[in-house]
Structures are given as C-alpha cells and as structure tokens.
Amino acid sequence: MSKVQVYAVGPNGDFVLESPVPGCAEVQGASRPYTSVDVVSFLTRRLPRSLPVLRLLQLGPRNPGTLVITTPLPLQRPAEGQEDQDPAAVRPEDVWTMLVVDRANHPATEIWPFSSLEMYHGATPHEKGPQKANVLPENLKDQLPFPEEVLSEAISQLLSVTSHIPVTWRDTTGTKSPAELLANVRHTPQQPVLPLWQHPQHPRADSSHPGRLVLDPSVPYGKYVFPVPQKRGEEQPLPEGLVWTTIGPDDYADVMAVNKIIRSPTTLAALKSRARRERGGKPGKAVAFAFAAGDGSVRTLHVDPAYRRQGLAKAVVAKLLGTGLFEPPQSGPLAAKQEVLDELLERDSEAGTTLAFAGIEESNTGSIGTFKALGGKWLWDVYWVYLDLDRARELAGEKTS
C-alpha cells in the first residue's frame, strides 16, 4: 500500500498532521500544526486543474469534518512544460493522489480527488475537442495513454488514500483539541456510508469485480472555468417588474423541484445566492437564480421558461460573481504566497485572474452559452458516483498481498 498522510483542517486553516511528513523535523505529538500554505502553494501552482480542490480548502467552511488525505506530494513547482509532456513518458514515481474529504454533514460525505494524471492536457481523445457526453466512466481507463505500470500505481494510490477515509464521526462542538479529534478518527468495523464522490478523469478500480467499488455513476458534467471580473461593469437593462434578492426558505421547494442535484433545505441554506424576483406586496416568485458553493463553483443556475432569452441567466451569474464570494483569501494560512502567484504569472499571463467554475451537462445548451459568454472554457468532465468504503479497504488490502 502507498504511504499516506492524513491531515485535519483546523478552524484557523492550519493542517493538523496525523502522520509524519518526510523531510520535516519530527515534533512530539500528533497535534503539531503543519501549515496549510504548503498545500495551498502546491495546488496554486497547478491551476486551473486544481481549482475545485483548492477553492474547497480556501472557501469552504472550516470544521472538524474536513480532512486532506494524500500520498507524499512534490511540493516544488511543476517542471517547465509538464502539461505538454508526452503521457507515455510518465513514470510510476511521478504519480501522486490527493483527496479532500468533507464530513461536516455526516453521514453525508463528499470526497474531492485530485491526481497527477489530471495535469496532462489531452490525456483522453475527447479532451482535444469540445465537450462530449458519450464517454462513460467505465470506458475512461481504456482511453488513458499512460503506461500500464503508471495506471497501476495510480489505482493503488487511489485505493490507499480512499481506505484511510474514517468511518466513525468526531466531535463537532469545538471543545476538544486537534489531537483528541484525531484520536476519534480510527477505523471501526461499523458499516460505512456510501459517500458522494466527484470523480475527475483518472483511473479507478475495476467496477466489474464482485462487490463493486464505484456505484451509480452520473452522466458527465463538463467543467467550464471562467474568470471572475475584478471590476463590475454596468448592469444591462432587464425585464421590468423584477427586483434583485436572494433565495430564502420559502423558495426551497421551488428550487429543489427544478434541480435534481440539490436534495435538501440544509444544502440550500449553506449556499449563497442571487435571484431576480417578481415584484409584489409579498415576496414574489424567484424567476432566475444561481448559487455560490464553497468549492468556488456556480451552481443551480435556473431561469423560468417564461423569462428565458432576456439576458437573465447571464445577469444573475454576473451579479453573483460581483459579490466577492469567489475571491480566495488574501492573507492567513489558506492564502497563496506571493512568490507562488508570481511563478504562475510567469507561466501564464491569464493565471493571475481569480477563477470560478460550473459543471454543466452537454445537453444544457442554455447554461453552456451563458458561461461561454462570461469567458468560460470547457476543460474536463467530472462524474458523481457513490463509493463503497468497505470495498475500497478490501481492494487496498489485496494490492498489498
């Protein structure tokens, strides 16, 4: 099994190290803070592919349920031209894997993976063209142009980090120290939940094996990455009789009725929103709305059919982008170092722009048009799947036997 490091993310943004980091001075006690700026620098240097994981750490809620589980990471800057390197030349020792695990709403769990294999543009044939929705997760492994031993290492690492996802829950009151919190994260034989896993394009264990690891994959969602304007332009005139507002509890039933991903009022309550609402004595119907999620994404963009083709979708997203909700922190342990940002600008003159993203099905041509009009570009696909944690640990054990 690959060597794995587990960190808990503290409320102040520091990482609490559960296992030692090679090359770092040993300090007694598991509660030694390991400054998150190293991981933030690592992810910042790998923008835009690292955007969902980076923003989840920078913008997501700080709680004892956030873990970062990784194989040892190469914390130096990527080699020049790495993204243009021939994938066939990648070696097993070049592979690394990271998971960000959010268990704040236990038993609901979200797992966000990031793999070194994602850093290679055009790693699959359909990435060289526009978004296509006909590539299923079970077909991805056969399309990846990496050597077999590289794919084997990536799968081994993925199983190793996944097998370290804790089944038990921990204190959420904030009354225990980081060391005490970590002491409650040991694996137990209890039946694990099936966590929801955003699965970018990298290899996974064979789901045809008896006792499937990955269950019920979604259709692919194209990741459209776009800049966040630093200055707001003038608002375009919109249909009369509408006012700017936000989404509240009275709107939740309507929102969930038109969106198949948002499944609970609790989820909606955790998201910031902007909406265009019909004017009236009482709060009128929200006819156009969008949400800002803690991972730096725009979610649940919707315009009622009667109000479409009037510029409302673009206006709502632009209004949301102007709130500052997508801006990464400028100071503290979760802010990128200035020298790292400078390195990024050396490599790409557009890299200094704050970025956001949205996941869109290929069939949703309206949303695709909206985000393209805002400067969005399709870069890769993701899948949402359920993962059996018991099976992950079994497969990880088989890899070491």
Side-chain angles (χ1 to χ4, degrees), residues 213-245:
L213 170 65
V214 175
L215 309 172
D216 299 327
S218 70
V219 298
Y221 286 82
K223 272 291 190 265
Y224 284 80
V225 177
F226 49 91
V228 176
Q230 298 302 301
K231 295 183 179 180
R232 290 185 57 191
E234 294 184 6
E235 292 185 5
Q236 298 298 314
L238 295 173
E240 294 183 3
L242 301 178
V243 295
W244 284 114
T245 182

Side-chain angles (χ1 to χ4, degrees), residues 135-188:
V135 181
L136 299 176
E138 52 262 34
N139 299 328
L140 291 175
K141 182 175 179 293
D142 297 331
Q143 295 191 25
L144 292 171
F146 300 99
E148 187 61 34
E149 61 270 22
V150 168
L151 295 179
S152 178
E153 175 62 22
I155 291 172
S156 177
Q157 289 187 14
L158 186 59
L159 289 171
S160 292
V161 294
T162 301
S163 70
H164 281 71
I165 297 171
V167 172
T168 53
W169 186 224
R170 58 177 71 190
D171 172 75
T172 59
T173 64
T175 59
K176 294 186 178 181
S177 69
E180 290 175 312
L181 291 173
L182 286 169
N184 294 330
V185 182
R186 308 305 177 194
H187 300 317
T188 74

Side-chain angles (χ1 to χ4, degrees), residues 291-361:
F291 294 86
D295 60 359
S297 66
V298 175
R299 291 191 184 178
T300 319
L301 172 61
H302 175 77
V303 179
D304 276 10
Y307 286 88
R308 290 175 185 171
R309 301 186 183 280
Q310 300 181 59
L312 279 173
K314 184 178 178 182
V316 167
V317 175
K319 191 80 169 179
L320 195 63
L321 295 177
T323 60
L325 295 170
F326 300 90
E327 303 287 342
Q330 302 299 309
S331 61
L334 292 173
K337 290 181 179 178
Q338 188 57 49
E339 63 258 34
V340 176
L341 296 175
D342 292 341
E343 288 175 12
L344 208 59
L345 286 172
E346 280 181 30
R347 192 185 73 196
D348 184 351
S349 60
E350 298 182 0
T353 305
T354 297
L355 298 173
F357 66 92
I360 312 171
E361 290 185 54

